[in-house]
Amino acid sequence: MFADLPFKIELTKFGKLLMTPASNEHGRIQSHLSAMLLQQKKGGDVVAECSIATADGIKVADVAWLSEEFVTRHGFITPYPKAPEVCIEILSPSNSMAEMKEKAKLYFDSGALEVWIVHRLDQISFLGVDGDLVKSVLFPL
């Protein structure tokens, strides 16, 4: 029923729909990040609009990097029962950093190793399980 909507849908743990229209700039950043991750030759795969089951319902990472081991274990099921190693969120004008940090915690609680919060392509905040990172440990750019 919602397959052709021009925006993503997330669910809270209470089944509440959250719908966020994506901008063209958001899509451009998403494409650049996906290409950059694939060019790093680390193996694995990249998924845009990656759905992940969390304690607060299904969340959708704008971009995610999945190791070969993750893909072998989970394939490309929807949603993933566990978060991929890297979950990336692109900050929209309607998002607050508090909201993004809450979402990052959900990803970490579901197994992510890093969460990137992208303000612009040249401004990315990297978070690890233990807090802020100066740069990505998995993808030192």
Side-chain angles (χ1 to χ4, degrees):
M1 182 165 132
F2 297 116
D4 295 323
L5 292 175
F7 46 83
K8 67 182 179 180
I9 296 175
E10 295 180 339
L11 297 175
T12 68
K13 63 184 169 190
F14 303 108
K16 178 181 171 188
L17 288 173
L18 301 174
M19 298 181 282
T20 309
S23 69
N24 289 332
E25 176 64 6
H26 186 278
R28 183 184 80 84
I29 292 171
Q30 205 171 19
S31 296
H32 282 261
L33 289 168
S34 297
M36 182 274 304
L37 288 169
L38 289 169
Q39 289 172 355
Q40 296 299 308
K41 308 288 189 223
K42 288 229 179 229
D45 215 332
V46 175
V47 174
E49 302 300 326
C50 183
S51 61
I52 303 159
T54 73
D56 190 34
I58 296 170
K59 300 300 176 198
V60 179
D62 293 316
V63 179
W65 176 77
L66 299 64
S67 68
E68 290 176 2
E69 179 184 337
F70 187 95
V71 173
T72 298
R73 185 177 311 123
H74 301 287
F76 294 96
I77 61 172
T78 303
Y80 283 119
K82 176 181 176 184
E85 290 86 348
V86 177
C87 296
I88 302 173
E89 288 293 332
I90 300 166
L91 198 61
S92 298
S94 63
N95 298 130
S96 68
M97 277 305 287
E99 177 186 0
M100 291 294 102
K101 292 218 176 190
E102 183 177 316
K103 202 168 183 183
K105 181 179 180 337
L106 291 168
Y107 292 147
F108 287 129
D109 290 348
S110 293
L113 300 177
E114 291 186 4
V115 175
W116 301 2
I117 300 173
V118 180
H119 307 267
R120 298 182 316 265
L121 280 173
D122 63 349
Q123 184 185 0
I124 302 173
S125 300
F126 300 98
L127 306 172
V129 177
D130 296 324
D132 293 346
L133 301 171
V134 174
K135 62 182 181 178
S136 169
V137 174
L138 296 171
F139 290 92
L141 308 173

